[in-house]
Amino acid sequence: MFENLFAHRGLSMDRLRALLEVAQAGSISKAVRGDPVRQSQYSRQIAELEEFFGAELTCRRGKVLQLTPKGRELARLVSAHYAGLDDFKTGCANVPRRFSIAAGDSIEYWLVSSVLGAAANEKKPWRFSLLNLRNDAIAHSLLETEADFGILRKSAVVSDVLRHRDVAQASYAVYAPAALVPPARRKDGVWCLQNLPITTLGPETSFYSQLQNLCAENGVALEVAQQTQSFPFAAHLAQCGHHASILPDMAAPFLGKNMVRVPVPFFKKLTRALVLAWNPRAFKTRPCLEEVVAFFLKHLPSP
């Protein structure tokens, strides 16, 4: 069995591990962190893999040695099968298995955290690593099987390779300390945008440009008093009592009784469907992953 693989020397766990570390770091120099001895070792090990497979696994771009498409393809295979071996080893030792979840910080903070709590309450033998990534990076990590599954905008799932299920909607409103909003204005989101110090994501995000364009289309000159890179931090500023924040509605259960939600009619155009997505290839090498994904689908809010 597998005579073609074992007929020649050059294939080993150590060599494949070197390739995988280079794939994860982006280049040999980053993988070895400036250690010239390890750099020479990794270069030799990858050259031996190239000879074994009869394919170029690396290419030079300037002074940087990176993986070729063939090298990245081999690294994906290695990552998947190493994950399966690790599951087998931890299962034999009765050690909890670890899974990686890719999501943005607001999704982790307001959606994933509750599911992790449910898993702990049910004493599931699982451990999790949370990867805080933007939507396009989440999709890439799933394609490369660098993450086991992820939660992201449905529109970001552009590859037919990935599978996904709708789990929630990201809709938005103004959230403000009750003391800042007169009772007569608590349904007047436009008044809040024009009269309260507003906190939301900054101009380096696509959300900011969409928000500004929508406000301009509806005759609102929005001035953002505090710009952040994180919805949870924007929520924290609102909770401090001095700012109103534009937040996803999934934050509402975490904000406390002294916060009011003020709707803005044209914010409906900001609403995005969220999905839980995974790469079916990961299920083949890690069958235990299917149970974890089913658990998340059960405990995440319905769309």
Short mmCIF file of all heavy atoms in Angstrom, two decimals, residues 48-112:
data_model
loop_
_atom_site.label_atom_id
_atom_site.label_comp_id
_atom_site.label_asym_id
_atom_site.label_seq_id
_atom_site.Cartn_x
_atom_site.Cartn_y
_atom_site.Cartn_z
N GLU A 48 14.82 18.83 0.00
CA GLU A 48 14.66 17.37 -0.03
C GLU A 48 13.23 16.98 -0.37
O GLU A 48 12.99 16.00 -1.08
CB GLU A 48 15.10 16.79 1.32
CG GLU A 48 16.61 16.89 1.54
CD GLU A 48 17.02 16.64 2.98
OE1 GLU A 48 16.14 16.68 3.87
OE2 GLU A 48 18.23 16.43 3.21
N LEU A 49 12.27 17.75 0.12
CA LEU A 49 10.88 17.50 -0.24
C LEU A 49 10.66 17.77 -1.73
O LEU A 49 9.90 17.05 -2.40
CB LEU A 49 9.94 18.37 0.59
CG LEU A 49 9.75 18.00 2.06
CD1 LEU A 49 8.89 19.04 2.77
CD2 LEU A 49 9.12 16.61 2.19
N GLU A 50 11.28 18.81 -2.25
CA GLU A 50 11.15 19.13 -3.68
C GLU A 50 11.68 17.98 -4.53
O GLU A 50 11.08 17.60 -5.54
CB GLU A 50 11.91 20.41 -4.00
CG GLU A 50 11.25 21.67 -3.45
CD GLU A 50 12.00 22.92 -3.79
OE1 GLU A 50 13.25 22.90 -3.76
OE2 GLU A 50 11.36 23.95 -4.10
N GLU A 51 12.81 17.42 -4.10
CA GLU A 51 13.37 16.28 -4.84
C GLU A 51 12.45 15.07 -4.75
O GLU A 51 12.23 14.36 -5.74
CB GLU A 51 14.75 15.94 -4.27
CG GLU A 51 15.46 14.81 -5.03
CD GLU A 51 16.85 14.53 -4.49
OE1 GLU A 51 17.32 15.30 -3.63
OE2 GLU A 51 17.46 13.54 -4.94
N PHE A 52 11.87 14.85 -3.56
CA PHE A 52 11.00 13.70 -3.37
C PHE A 52 9.75 13.81 -4.25
O PHE A 52 9.36 12.84 -4.92
CB PHE A 52 10.61 13.58 -1.90
CG PHE A 52 9.65 12.46 -1.61
CD1 PHE A 52 10.13 11.18 -1.39
CD2 PHE A 52 8.28 12.67 -1.59
CE1 PHE A 52 9.25 10.12 -1.13
CE2 PHE A 52 7.40 11.62 -1.34
CZ PHE A 52 7.88 10.35 -1.11
N PHE A 53 9.11 14.99 -4.25
CA PHE A 53 7.86 15.15 -4.99
C PHE A 53 8.07 15.52 -6.45
O PHE A 53 7.13 15.44 -7.25
CB PHE A 53 6.98 16.21 -4.31
CG PHE A 53 6.36 15.75 -3.03
CD1 PHE A 53 6.83 16.19 -1.81
CD2 PHE A 53 5.30 14.85 -3.04
CE1 PHE A 53 6.25 15.76 -0.62
CE2 PHE A 53 4.72 14.40 -1.86
CZ PHE A 53 5.20 14.86 -0.64
N GLY A 54 9.30 15.94 -6.80
CA GLY A 54 9.55 16.35 -8.17
C GLY A 54 8.83 17.62 -8.55
O GLY A 54 8.33 17.76 -9.68
N ALA A 55 8.74 18.55 -7.62
CA ALA A 55 8.03 19.81 -7.87
C ALA A 55 8.71 20.94 -7.11
O ALA A 55 9.31 20.72 -6.05
CB ALA A 55 6.57 19.70 -7.42
N GLU A 56 8.66 22.14 -7.67
CA GLU A 56 9.19 23.31 -6.97
C GLU A 56 8.20 23.74 -5.90
O GLU A 56 7.05 24.06 -6.20
CB GLU A 56 9.43 24.46 -7.96
CG GLU A 56 10.58 24.23 -8.91
CD GLU A 56 10.89 25.46 -9.74
OE1 GLU A 56 10.19 26.48 -9.56
OE2 GLU A 56 11.82 25.41 -10.56
N LEU A 57 8.66 23.74 -4.67
CA LEU A 57 7.80 24.11 -3.54
C LEU A 57 8.06 25.53 -3.06
O LEU A 57 7.26 26.07 -2.30
CB LEU A 57 8.01 23.13 -2.38
CG LEU A 57 7.77 21.65 -2.72
CD1 LEU A 57 8.05 20.78 -1.51
CD2 LEU A 57 6.35 21.43 -3.21
N THR A 58 9.18 26.13 -3.45
CA THR A 58 9.51 27.49 -3.05
C THR A 58 9.93 28.30 -4.26
O THR A 58 10.35 27.76 -5.29
CB THR A 58 10.64 27.52 -2.00
OG1 THR A 58 11.82 26.91 -2.57
CG2 THR A 58 10.25 26.79 -0.74
N CYS A 59 9.83 29.61 -4.13
CA CYS A 59 10.32 30.53 -5.16
C CYS A 59 10.83 31.78 -4.47
O CYS A 59 10.41 32.11 -3.36
CB CYS A 59 9.23 30.88 -6.17
SG CYS A 59 7.81 31.73 -5.45
N ARG A 60 11.75 32.45 -5.11
CA ARG A 60 12.35 33.65 -4.51
C ARG A 60 11.69 34.90 -5.07
O ARG A 60 11.56 35.07 -6.28
CB ARG A 60 13.85 33.68 -4.77
CG ARG A 60 14.56 34.82 -4.05
CD ARG A 60 16.07 34.65 -4.10
NE ARG A 60 16.49 33.48 -3.36
CZ ARG A 60 16.64 33.45 -2.05
NH1 ARG A 60 16.34 34.51 -1.31
NH2 ARG A 60 17.04 32.35 -1.46
N ARG A 61 11.24 35.76 -4.15
CA ARG A 61 10.69 37.07 -4.52
C ARG A 61 11.56 38.12 -3.85
O ARG A 61 11.42 38.38 -2.66
CB ARG A 61 9.24 37.18 -4.08
CG ARG A 61 8.31 36.25 -4.83
CD ARG A 61 6.86 36.49 -4.48
NE ARG A 61 5.97 35.62 -5.24
CZ ARG A 61 4.65 35.60 -5.12
NH1 ARG A 61 4.07 36.43 -4.25
NH2 ARG A 61 3.92 34.78 -5.84
N GLY A 62 12.45 38.71 -4.65
CA GLY A 62 13.43 39.60 -4.06
C GLY A 62 14.38 38.80 -3.19
O GLY A 62 14.98 37.82 -3.64
N LYS A 63 14.47 39.17 -1.93
CA LYS A 63 15.33 38.44 -0.99
C LYS A 63 14.55 37.42 -0.16
O LYS A 63 15.12 36.78 0.72
CB LYS A 63 16.01 39.44 -0.04
CG LYS A 63 16.96 40.40 -0.76
CD LYS A 63 17.64 41.32 0.26
CE LYS A 63 18.60 42.27 -0.45
NZ LYS A 63 19.29 43.17 0.51
N VAL A 64 13.25 37.29 -0.44
CA VAL A 64 12.39 36.45 0.38
C VAL A 64 12.08 35.14 -0.35
O VAL A 64 11.70 35.15 -1.52
CB VAL A 64 11.08 37.18 0.73
CG1 VAL A 64 10.17 36.27 1.55
CG2 VAL A 64 11.38 38.46 1.49
N LEU A 65 12.23 34.02 0.36
CA LEU A 65 11.91 32.70 -0.19
C LEU A 65 10.53 32.29 0.31
O LEU A 65 10.32 32.09 1.51
CB LEU A 65 12.97 31.68 0.25
CG LEU A 65 13.08 30.40 -0.61
CD1 LEU A 65 13.48 30.75 -2.03
CD2 LEU A 65 14.07 29.44 0.00
N GLN A 66 9.58 32.20 -0.62
CA GLN A 66 8.19 31.89 -0.28
C GLN A 66 7.76 30.60 -0.94
O GLN A 66 8.43 30.09 -1.85
CB GLN A 66 7.27 33.03 -0.72
CG GLN A 66 7.55 34.35 -0.04
CD GLN A 66 6.63 35.44 -0.54
OE1 GLN A 66 6.22 35.43 -1.70
NE2 GLN A 66 6.29 36.39 0.31
N LEU A 67 6.61 30.06 -0.52
CA LEU A 67 6.08 28.84 -1.12
C LEU A 67 5.41 29.14 -2.46
O LEU A 67 4.78 30.17 -2.64
CB LEU A 67 5.08 28.18 -0.19
CG LEU A 67 5.60 27.66 1.16
CD1 LEU A 67 4.50 26.88 1.87
CD2 LEU A 67 6.84 26.82 1.01
N THR A 68 5.56 28.22 -3.38
CA THR A 68 4.86 28.27 -4.66
C THR A 68 3.43 27.75 -4.45
O THR A 68 3.09 27.23 -3.39
CB THR A 68 5.56 27.36 -5.68
OG1 THR A 68 5.50 26.01 -5.19
CG2 THR A 68 7.01 27.76 -5.86
N PRO A 69 2.57 27.86 -5.46
CA PRO A 69 1.24 27.26 -5.33
C PRO A 69 1.30 25.77 -4.98
O PRO A 69 0.50 25.29 -4.18
CB PRO A 69 0.62 27.49 -6.71
CG PRO A 69 1.26 28.78 -7.18
CD PRO A 69 2.67 28.70 -6.68
N LYS A 70 2.25 25.03 -5.57
CA LYS A 70 2.41 23.61 -5.21
C LYS A 70 2.82 23.47 -3.75
O LYS A 70 2.37 22.56 -3.04
CB LYS A 70 3.46 22.96 -6.11
CG LYS A 70 2.99 22.65 -7.51
CD LYS A 70 1.98 21.50 -7.51
CE LYS A 70 1.61 21.09 -8.91
NZ LYS A 70 0.57 20.03 -8.92
N GLY A 71 3.70 24.36 -3.29
CA GLY A 71 4.11 24.32 -1.89
C GLY A 71 2.96 24.59 -0.95
O GLY A 71 2.81 23.93 0.08
N ARG A 72 2.11 25.56 -1.30
CA ARG A 72 0.95 25.87 -0.46
C ARG A 72 -0.06 24.72 -0.48
O ARG A 72 -0.69 24.42 0.54
CB ARG A 72 0.30 27.18 -0.91
CG ARG A 72 1.18 28.42 -0.67
CD ARG A 72 0.37 29.69 -0.81
NE ARG A 72 -0.09 29.89 -2.17
CZ ARG A 72 0.60 30.49 -3.14
NH1 ARG A 72 1.82 30.96 -2.88
NH2 ARG A 72 0.09 30.65 -4.35
N GLU A 73 -0.21 24.09 -1.65
CA GLU A 73 -1.13 22.95 -1.74
C GLU A 73 -0.65 21.81 -0.84
O GLU A 73 -1.45 21.20 -0.11
CB GLU A 73 -1.22 22.46 -3.18
CG GLU A 73 -2.16 21.29 -3.38
CD GLU A 73 -2.18 20.79 -4.81
OE1 GLU A 73 -1.53 21.42 -5.68
OE2 GLU A 73 -2.85 19.77 -5.06
N LEU A 74 0.65 21.52 -0.86
CA LEU A 74 1.19 20.48 0.00
C LEU A 74 1.03 20.85 1.47
O LEU A 74 0.69 20.00 2.30
CB LEU A 74 2.66 20.23 -0.33
CG LEU A 74 3.38 19.18 0.52
CD1 LEU A 74 2.67 17.82 0.43
CD2 LEU A 74 4.84 19.06 0.11
N ALA A 75 1.25 22.13 1.79
CA ALA A 75 1.10 22.57 3.19
C ALA A 75 -0.33 22.39 3.67
O ALA A 75 -0.56 22.02 4.83
CB ALA A 75 1.53 24.03 3.32
N ARG A 76 -1.32 22.64 2.81
CA ARG A 76 -2.72 22.43 3.19
C ARG A 76 -2.97 20.96 3.50
O ARG A 76 -3.66 20.62 4.48
CB ARG A 76 -3.65 22.91 2.08
CG ARG A 76 -3.78 24.42 1.95
CD ARG A 76 -4.97 24.80 1.10
NE ARG A 76 -4.82 24.37 -0.28
CZ ARG A 76 -4.25 25.10 -1.23
NH1 ARG A 76 -3.78 26.31 -0.94
NH2 ARG A 76 -4.15 24.64 -2.46
N LEU A 77 -2.43 20.06 2.67
CA LEU A 77 -2.60 18.64 2.92
C LEU A 77 -1.95 18.23 4.23
O LEU A 77 -2.52 17.48 5.02
CB LEU A 77 -1.97 17.83 1.76
CG LEU A 77 -2.68 17.91 0.41
CD1 LEU A 77 -1.84 17.24 -0.67
CD2 LEU A 77 -4.04 17.23 0.49
N VAL A 78 -0.74 18.74 4.46
CA VAL A 78 -0.01 18.41 5.69
C VAL A 78 -0.79 18.90 6.92
O VAL A 78 -0.95 18.18 7.90
CB VAL A 78 1.40 19.02 5.66
CG1 VAL A 78 2.10 18.83 7.01
CG2 VAL A 78 2.23 18.40 4.55
N SER A 79 -1.29 20.15 6.86
CA SER A 79 -2.02 20.73 7.99
C SER A 79 -3.24 19.89 8.32
O SER A 79 -3.51 19.59 9.50
CB SER A 79 -2.43 22.17 7.66
OG SER A 79 -3.18 22.72 8.71
N ALA A 80 -3.99 19.50 7.30
CA ALA A 80 -5.20 18.72 7.53
C ALA A 80 -4.89 17.36 8.15
O ALA A 80 -5.54 16.93 9.11
CB ALA A 80 -5.94 18.53 6.20
N HIS A 81 -3.87 16.69 7.64
CA HIS A 81 -3.57 15.35 8.14
C HIS A 81 -2.89 15.40 9.50
O HIS A 81 -3.11 14.52 10.34
CB HIS A 81 -2.74 14.58 7.12
CG HIS A 81 -3.54 14.17 5.92
ND1 HIS A 81 -4.46 13.15 5.96
CD2 HIS A 81 -3.59 14.69 4.66
CE1 HIS A 81 -5.03 13.03 4.76
NE2 HIS A 81 -4.53 13.94 3.97
N TYR A 82 -2.10 16.44 9.76
CA TYR A 82 -1.53 16.59 11.10
C TYR A 82 -2.65 16.84 12.12
O TYR A 82 -2.57 16.37 13.26
CB TYR A 82 -0.54 17.75 11.12
CG TYR A 82 0.88 17.35 10.72
CD1 TYR A 82 1.12 16.19 9.99
CD2 TYR A 82 1.96 18.14 11.08
CE1 TYR A 82 2.39 15.84 9.63
CE2 TYR A 82 3.25 17.78 10.72
CZ TYR A 82 3.47 16.64 9.99
OH TYR A 82 4.74 16.27 9.63
N ALA A 83 -3.66 17.60 11.72
CA ALA A 83 -4.80 17.84 12.63
C ALA A 83 -5.49 16.53 12.97
O ALA A 83 -5.87 16.28 14.13
CB ALA A 83 -5.78 18.82 12.00
N GLY A 84 -5.66 15.66 11.97
CA GLY A 84 -6.27 14.37 12.23
C GLY A 84 -5.42 13.50 13.14
O GLY A 84 -5.94 12.83 14.06
N LEU A 85 -4.11 13.51 12.95
CA LEU A 85 -3.20 12.74 13.81
C LEU A 85 -3.24 13.29 15.24
O LEU A 85 -3.21 12.52 16.21
CB LEU A 85 -1.78 12.80 13.26
CG LEU A 85 -1.52 12.00 11.97
CD1 LEU A 85 -0.13 12.30 11.44
CD2 LEU A 85 -1.68 10.50 12.23
N ASP A 86 -3.29 14.61 15.35
CA ASP A 86 -3.34 15.22 16.68
C ASP A 86 -4.63 14.84 17.40
O ASP A 86 -4.63 14.55 18.61
CB ASP A 86 -3.21 16.74 16.57
CG ASP A 86 -3.06 17.40 17.93
OD1 ASP A 86 -2.08 17.10 18.63
OD2 ASP A 86 -3.93 18.21 18.29
N ASP A 87 -5.75 14.82 16.68
CA ASP A 87 -7.01 14.38 17.26
C ASP A 87 -6.91 12.94 17.75
O ASP A 87 -7.40 12.59 18.83
CB ASP A 87 -8.14 14.49 16.24
CG ASP A 87 -8.65 15.91 16.07
OD1 ASP A 87 -8.38 16.74 16.96
OD2 ASP A 87 -9.32 16.18 15.06
N PHE A 88 -6.28 12.08 16.95
CA PHE A 88 -6.15 10.68 17.33
C PHE A 88 -5.30 10.55 18.60
O PHE A 88 -5.65 9.81 19.52
CB PHE A 88 -5.52 9.89 16.19
CG PHE A 88 -5.33 8.43 16.51
CD1 PHE A 88 -6.40 7.55 16.49
CD2 PHE A 88 -4.07 7.94 16.83
CE1 PHE A 88 -6.23 6.21 16.79
CE2 PHE A 88 -3.88 6.60 17.13
CZ PHE A 88 -4.96 5.73 17.11
N LYS A 89 -4.20 11.30 18.65
CA LYS A 89 -3.31 11.23 19.81
C LYS A 89 -4.01 11.73 21.07
O LYS A 89 -3.93 11.11 22.14
CB LYS A 89 -2.04 12.05 19.56
CG LYS A 89 -0.99 11.94 20.66
CD LYS A 89 0.28 12.67 20.26
CE LYS A 89 1.39 12.45 21.29
NZ LYS A 89 1.03 12.93 22.62
N THR A 90 -4.71 12.89 20.97
CA THR A 90 -5.39 13.42 22.15
C THR A 90 -6.54 12.52 22.57
O THR A 90 -6.82 12.36 23.76
CB THR A 90 -5.91 14.84 21.89
OG1 THR A 90 -6.75 14.84 20.72
CG2 THR A 90 -4.77 15.82 21.68
N GLY A 91 -7.20 11.88 21.58
CA GLY A 91 -8.26 10.94 21.91
C GLY A 91 -7.73 9.73 22.66
O GLY A 91 -8.36 9.26 23.62
N CYS A 92 -6.57 9.24 22.25
CA CYS A 92 -5.97 8.11 22.95
C CYS A 92 -5.59 8.48 24.38
O CYS A 92 -5.66 7.64 25.29
CB CYS A 92 -4.73 7.62 22.20
SG CYS A 92 -5.10 6.84 20.61
N ALA A 93 -5.19 9.72 24.57
CA ALA A 93 -4.78 10.17 25.91
C ALA A 93 -5.94 10.75 26.71
O ALA A 93 -5.73 11.23 27.83
CB ALA A 93 -3.67 11.22 25.77
N ASN A 94 -7.15 10.73 26.13
CA ASN A 94 -8.33 11.29 26.80
C ASN A 94 -8.12 12.76 27.15
O ASN A 94 -8.50 13.22 28.22
CB ASN A 94 -8.68 10.49 28.05
CG ASN A 94 -10.12 10.72 28.48
OD1 ASN A 94 -10.99 11.04 27.66
ND2 ASN A 94 -10.39 10.60 29.77
N VAL A 95 -7.51 13.51 26.22
CA VAL A 95 -7.25 14.93 26.39
C VAL A 95 -8.25 15.71 25.53
O VAL A 95 -8.55 15.30 24.41
CB VAL A 95 -5.81 15.27 25.95
CG1 VAL A 95 -5.57 16.78 25.98
CG2 VAL A 95 -4.80 14.55 26.84
N PRO A 96 -8.81 16.83 26.03
CA PRO A 96 -9.76 17.62 25.22
C PRO A 96 -9.14 18.05 23.89
O PRO A 96 -7.97 18.44 23.84
CB PRO A 96 -10.05 18.82 26.11
CG PRO A 96 -9.81 18.35 27.49
CD PRO A 96 -8.66 17.39 27.39
N ARG A 97 -9.92 17.98 22.84
CA ARG A 97 -9.45 18.38 21.52
C ARG A 97 -9.62 19.88 21.34
O ARG A 97 -10.55 20.48 21.86
CB ARG A 97 -10.22 17.62 20.44
CG ARG A 97 -9.85 16.14 20.41
CD ARG A 97 -10.79 15.33 19.57
NE ARG A 97 -10.30 13.96 19.46
CZ ARG A 97 -11.04 12.95 19.06
NH1 ARG A 97 -12.30 13.14 18.72
NH2 ARG A 97 -10.53 11.73 18.97
N ARG A 98 -8.72 20.46 20.56
CA ARG A 98 -8.73 21.91 20.34
C ARG A 98 -9.21 22.23 18.93
O ARG A 98 -8.80 21.58 17.96
CB ARG A 98 -7.35 22.51 20.58
CG ARG A 98 -7.31 24.04 20.43
CD ARG A 98 -6.01 24.61 20.94
NE ARG A 98 -5.89 24.44 22.38
CZ ARG A 98 -6.43 25.25 23.28
NH1 ARG A 98 -7.15 26.29 22.88
NH2 ARG A 98 -6.25 25.03 24.56
N PHE A 99 -10.05 23.27 18.83
CA PHE A 99 -10.58 23.71 17.55
C PHE A 99 -10.37 25.22 17.41
O PHE A 99 -10.40 25.95 18.39
CB PHE A 99 -12.08 23.38 17.45
CG PHE A 99 -12.37 21.92 17.65
CD1 PHE A 99 -12.69 21.43 18.91
CD2 PHE A 99 -12.33 21.05 16.59
CE1 PHE A 99 -12.95 20.08 19.10
CE2 PHE A 99 -12.60 19.70 16.76
CZ PHE A 99 -12.90 19.21 18.02
N SER A 100 -10.18 25.66 16.18
CA SER A 100 -9.95 27.10 15.93
C SER A 100 -11.17 27.71 15.25
O SER A 100 -11.75 27.14 14.33
CB SER A 100 -8.71 27.30 15.06
OG SER A 100 -8.81 26.57 13.85
N ILE A 101 -11.55 28.89 15.75
CA ILE A 101 -12.70 29.63 15.23
C ILE A 101 -12.21 30.98 14.72
O ILE A 101 -11.58 31.74 15.46
CB ILE A 101 -13.75 29.89 16.33
CG1 ILE A 101 -14.07 28.61 17.10
CG2 ILE A 101 -15.01 30.51 15.75
CD1 ILE A 101 -14.86 28.86 18.36
N ALA A 102 -12.50 31.29 13.47
CA ALA A 102 -12.14 32.59 12.91
C ALA A 102 -13.38 33.50 12.89
O ALA A 102 -14.43 33.10 12.40
CB ALA A 102 -11.59 32.42 11.49
N ALA A 103 -13.23 34.71 13.44
CA ALA A 103 -14.35 35.65 13.49
C ALA A 103 -13.82 37.03 13.83
O ALA A 103 -12.69 37.16 14.32
CB ALA A 103 -15.40 35.22 14.52
N GLY A 104 -14.62 38.05 13.58
CA GLY A 104 -14.26 39.40 14.02
C GLY A 104 -14.47 39.54 15.51
O GLY A 104 -15.16 38.72 16.14
N ASP A 105 -13.90 40.59 16.09
CA ASP A 105 -13.95 40.71 17.55
C ASP A 105 -15.38 40.89 18.07
O ASP A 105 -15.72 40.34 19.12
CB ASP A 105 -13.05 41.85 18.05
CG ASP A 105 -13.39 43.19 17.45
OD1 ASP A 105 -14.24 43.26 16.54
OD2 ASP A 105 -12.81 44.20 17.89
N SER A 106 -16.23 41.60 17.35
CA SER A 106 -17.61 41.78 17.83
C SER A 106 -18.38 40.46 17.80
O SER A 106 -19.18 40.17 18.69
CB SER A 106 -18.34 42.84 17.01
OG SER A 106 -18.33 42.52 15.64
N ILE A 107 -18.13 39.62 16.77
CA ILE A 107 -18.76 38.31 16.69
C ILE A 107 -18.28 37.44 17.85
O ILE A 107 -19.07 36.74 18.50
CB ILE A 107 -18.45 37.63 15.35
CG1 ILE A 107 -18.90 38.50 14.17
CG2 ILE A 107 -19.10 36.25 15.29
CD1 ILE A 107 -20.37 38.75 14.11
N GLU A 108 -16.98 37.47 18.10
CA GLU A 108 -16.44 36.68 19.22
C GLU A 108 -17.04 37.14 20.55
O GLU A 108 -17.42 36.32 21.39
CB GLU A 108 -14.92 36.82 19.26
CG GLU A 108 -14.19 36.14 18.10
CD GLU A 108 -12.70 36.35 18.14
OE1 GLU A 108 -12.22 37.18 18.96
OE2 GLU A 108 -12.00 35.71 17.36
N TYR A 109 -17.12 38.46 20.71
CA TYR A 109 -17.54 39.03 21.99
C TYR A 109 -19.01 38.79 22.26
O TYR A 109 -19.40 38.44 23.39
CB TYR A 109 -17.23 40.53 21.97
CG TYR A 109 -17.20 41.19 23.33
CD1 TYR A 109 -16.03 41.22 24.08
CD2 TYR A 109 -18.33 41.79 23.84
CE1 TYR A 109 -16.00 41.84 25.32
CE2 TYR A 109 -18.31 42.40 25.09
CZ TYR A 109 -17.13 42.42 25.82
OH TYR A 109 -17.12 43.03 27.05
N TRP A 110 -19.85 38.96 21.23
CA TRP A 110 -21.30 38.95 21.46
C TRP A 110 -22.02 37.69 20.98
O TRP A 110 -23.17 37.48 21.35
CB TRP A 110 -21.93 40.18 20.82
CG TRP A 110 -21.53 41.45 21.51
CD1 TRP A 110 -21.48 41.66 22.85
CD2 TRP A 110 -21.13 42.68 20.91
NE1 TRP A 110 -21.08 42.96 23.12
CE2 TRP A 110 -20.85 43.61 21.95
CE3 TRP A 110 -20.97 43.11 19.60
CZ2 TRP A 110 -20.43 44.91 21.71
CZ3 TRP A 110 -20.56 44.41 19.36
CH2 TRP A 110 -20.30 45.30 20.41
N LEU A 111 -21.40 36.87 20.14
CA LEU A 111 -22.04 35.64 19.69
C LEU A 111 -21.30 34.38 20.16
O LEU A 111 -21.88 33.50 20.78
CB LEU A 111 -22.16 35.62 18.15
CG LEU A 111 -23.14 36.60 17.50
CD1 LEU A 111 -23.19 36.37 15.99
CD2 LEU A 111 -24.53 36.46 18.09
N VAL A 112 -20.00 34.34 19.85
CA VAL A 112 -19.23 33.12 20.14
C VAL A 112 -19.15 32.87 21.65
O VAL A 112 -19.23 31.73 22.10
CB VAL A 112 -17.83 33.21 19.52
CG1 VAL A 112 -16.96 32.04 19.97
CG2 VAL A 112 -17.92 33.25 18.01
#
